[in-house]
Amino acid sequence: MSTEVRQMFSSIATRYDVTNEVLSFGIHRLWRRTAVRLSRAKAGDSVLDCASGTGDLALAFKRKVGTTGRVLGTDFCPEMLESAPAKAAKAGLQVDFQVADAMALPFEDNRFDVASIAFGIRNVDDPVKCLKEMGRVVKPGGRVVVLEFGQPEGVFGALFRFYSKTVMPAIGGMLTGNRAAYEYLPRTSAAFPAGERFLSLMDQSGAYAERSAHPLTFGTANVYVGLVR
């Protein structure tokens, strides 16, 4: 799956930001701010953002940790990272970026205070391995934060599923020229473990002393927080 996912993101990289803004109605910004708040990151902290893409969450963390903190954004798709340094520079923020696989991070144990991944863990081959690896590079007592889509229920859930299966592929395909990518993304979101099922993956990793789930927008997304052992 990794090769196919890398090729897919490579094909939509240049239009990813504008498409994301249109499809989410801008609410992804609020979700990222919530993830940063729940991470309890503070000035001076060192943060690793995995599957950083074009760098939005990494930049949000940099605003939180300030000039004395360091943020490193990684992604296994070089094309997704291409625009991130310029975006950081335009915002007046010093953020480092490098290509790296979230399942095999090239960093020593206990290096970071916080590690995060937004809308990326469902695309890795082994989510439990990814959770374990992120926990490995975070200091004991630090936090791993995962922002990922959920499966809302009830009337809102029915509307969301219609939007995901019908509207997203049409608009995403029109804006990027790759309709298949925007059929894949909602399909994987609907199938990926959410809520308690995702917390069980965190338990399987053995990396966390505590873990919690925080639903956003009627369960459309969740922030999961793990306290590293």
Side-chain angles (χ1 to χ4, degrees):
M1 184 176 74
S2 293
T3 300
E4 295 174 0
V5 170
R6 185 183 293 111
Q7 292 172 345
M8 180 191 72
F9 278 107
S10 174
S11 74
I12 65 175
T14 58
R15 300 291 293 170
Y16 181 81
D17 277 352
V18 66
T19 306
N20 193 31
E21 190 73 18
V22 170
L23 291 176
S24 74
F25 304 99
I27 200 169
H28 66 97
R29 300 174 185 272
L30 175 61
W31 291 348
R32 287 187 172 90
R33 286 198 293 270
T34 301
V36 172
R37 176 176 57 82
L38 291 172
S39 76
R40 299 189 187 178
K42 60 186 183 303
D45 277 356
S46 178
V47 178
L48 172 69
D49 182 39
C50 300
S52 197
T54 60
D56 285 338
L57 185 55
L59 269 59
F61 268 111
K62 182 59 179 177
R63 294 185 180 97
K64 183 67 174 180
V65 302
T67 56
T68 58
R70 185 193 176 197
V71 177
L72 174 60
T74 65
D75 201 291
F76 79 152
C77 179
E79 291 82 1
M80 284 294 290
L81 284 178
E82 281 182 0
S83 65
K87 184 187 289 189
K90 184 177 180 180
L93 299 170
Q94 176 57 51
V95 178
D96 298 315
F97 295 97
Q98 74 178 69
V99 176
D101 187 339
M103 292 193 301
L105 295 168
F107 310 114
E108 65 272 20
D109 296 358
N110 309 328
R111 174 171 172 179
F112 300 94
D113 298 294
V114 173
S116 63
I117 185 168
F119 308 116
I121 198 162
R122 75 181 187 279
N123 296 319
V124 304
D125 288 334
D126 187 340
V128 173
K129 184 176 180 180
C130 179
L131 287 165
K132 186 174 183 178
E133 186 70 348
M134 292 175 71
R136 177 186 67 78
V137 300
V138 171
K139 302 169 187 175
R143 286 173 170 78
V144 167
V145 179
V146 178
L147 173 58
E148 190 52 83
F149 285 112
Q151 292 108 35
E153 299 179 349
V155 175
F156 183 83
L159 291 172
F160 178 73
R161 287 188 291 276
F162 172 79
Y163 177 76
S164 298
K165 293 179 180 179
T166 306
V167 179
M168 281 184 64
I171 296 178
M174 180 180 63
L175 292 176
T176 67
N178 188 345
R179 181 186 176 98
Y182 288 89
E183 292 173 337
Y184 166 87
L185 293 171
R187 185 172 68 250
T188 55
S189 298
F192 192 70
E196 289 294 328
R197 290 184 299 147
F198 185 84
L199 294 180
S200 72
L201 298 183
M202 299 184 78
D203 290 340
Q204 290 174 44
S205 76
Y208 306 101
E210 300 174 11
R211 77 287 187 282
S212 57
H214 306 265
L216 306 174
T217 317
F218 307 106
T220 304
N222 292 280
V223 176
Y224 304 99
V225 181
L227 182 69
V228 176
R229 294 185 184 277

